[in-house]
Amino acid sequence: MATPDHLFNLRNNFYLGAYQAAINSSNVNNLSTDDAIERDCLVHRCYIALGQLQFVISEIDSSAATPLQAVKLLAQYFSNPENKESTISSLKEWLADPAIGNNPTLRLIAGIMFMHEQDYNEALKHTNAGGTLELHALNVQIFIKMHRSDYAERQLRAMQQIDEDHTLTQLANAWLNLAVGGSKIQEAYLIFQDLSERYQTTSLLLNGKAVCCMHMGNFDEAETLLVEALNKDARDPETLANLVVCCLHLGKPSSKSFSQLKLSHPDHVLVKRVSAAEESFDRALQSFT
């Protein structure tokens, strides 16, 4: 008889981007030591996603288990961009330690940080061996960013062999369908829709559906979905960025959403691209003066 998965709701809410709901469902009794550590890691990753970085840093002390120390390192990485070289240096030291270097959570956090650095080859050094569904799902994201949908598909197949119906497998399938494009866009939309109906509608799922709509040229529907997502989380960077793009296609003002994005997430890829374009334009103007 299979043992019940006491952390299913917490884990599932986290994957779907329902971070507060995940935290609210974290009060689970009679957990094993390993399950308690996983619970605490997921809860603190929820707080990171909600922007409560200093809370995570202060809550996890130096005696905590390796997975929790890795999560604390992720909070430090996001909270202090000016000092990220020091944080990455600490991460590399831990990864080189034979006693803890192969810890799945540590490898996952390494993958997330190096992916954020756009150092995809370094990320894959630590994630490519897989071992957990979440590591496979991260590999799918990394390969998509590298424009290698063929490798992403291999990772997805590995996930499907483990658990085809798992929320992460379904999400990875939708991400890959979006990357492939064409007729796969409608399939991605249906996956996001199915997850919304089966569990709950989250900002993450609404953004997924909105991006599908934009790919299919349905910008009015995309805008409706993004406004709904904005009502759930007014500071979500992907919602703001997608709304900027959607409004531009609709010929509507996008400066408010872009200003919010620039203020709250100055390192977002859209902010960097617009800033680079503005600098190029200014240089071109100066060459004519």
Side-chain angles (χ1 to χ4, degrees), residues 67-110:
L68 281 162
Q69 294 292 348
V71 172
K72 181 176 182 176
L73 209 59
L74 184 65
Q76 290 170 330
Y77 171 79
F78 285 128
S79 72
N80 193 358
E82 296 80 15
N83 201 34
K84 68 181 181 182
E85 283 77 14
S86 172
T87 306
I88 291 171
S89 177
S90 296
L91 175 66
K92 287 181 175 178
E93 281 180 30
W94 295 3
L95 290 164
D97 185 339
I100 62 172
N102 202 37
N103 181 276
T105 303
L106 180 59
R107 291 194 292 122
L108 179 76
I109 297 302

Side-chain angles (χ1 to χ4, degrees), residues 163-259:
D163 189 347
E164 190 169 10
D165 295 325
H166 195 283
T167 295
L168 269 182
T169 307
Q170 294 297 310
L171 285 170
N173 197 356
W175 300 332
L176 182 57
N177 285 339
L178 264 174
V180 171
S183 61
K184 292 288 186 181
I185 299 294
Q186 182 65 28
E187 291 180 31
Y189 182 92
L190 292 174
I191 291 171
F192 290 127
Q193 179 66 26
D194 178 63
L195 289 170
S196 297
E197 291 172 357
R198 202 187 314 173
Y199 300 113
Q200 61 175 303
T201 301
T202 64
S203 180
L204 182 146
L205 295 175
L206 287 165
N207 270 277
K209 288 165 67 177
V211 171
C212 291
C213 287
M214 286 193 280
H215 275 285
M216 294 186 288
N218 301 331
F219 293 100
D220 287 320
E221 184 182 348
E223 184 188 25
T224 301
L225 291 164
L226 291 169
V227 169
E228 186 180 346
L230 206 61
N231 288 333
K232 290 182 178 293
D233 183 358
R235 294 180 69 253
D236 179 63
E238 298 315 311
T239 304
L240 291 167
N242 286 329
L243 200 53
V244 169
V245 174
C246 188
C247 287
L248 287 171
H249 278 277
L250 288 169
K252 294 184 177 181
S254 60
S255 56
K256 182 182 176 185
S257 296
F258 184 74
S259 295

Side-chain angles (χ1 to χ4, degrees), residues 132-145:
T132 69
L133 271 174
E134 199 170 359
L135 278 164
H136 283 301
L138 184 59
N139 286 334
V140 171
Q141 290 182 308
I142 293 168
F143 284 126
I144 288 171
K145 286 180 179 293

Side-chain angles (χ1 to χ4, degrees), residues 7 11 14 37 45 50 52 58 62 69 87 95 100 103 111 117 120-121 123 134 145 162 167 180 184 254 272:
L7 297 179
R11 207 182 287 114
F14 173 74
I37 291 171
R45 287 174 67 194
L50 291 170
Q52 298 184 35
S58 64
S62 57
Q69 294 292 348
T87 306
L95 290 164
I100 62 172
N103 181 276
E117 288 291 303
Y120 303 128
N121 290 325
E134 199 170 359
K145 286 180 179 293
I162 298 167
T167 295
V180 171
K184 292 288 186 181
S254 60
K272 287 183 173 179

Side-chain angles (χ1 to χ4, degrees), residues 40-57:
D40 292 346
C41 283
L42 286 166
V43 167
H44 284 105
R45 287 174 67 194
C46 286
Y47 281 118
I48 290 173
L50 291 170
Q52 298 184 35
L53 303 172
Q54 291 305 320
F55 172 76
V56 174
I57 292 166

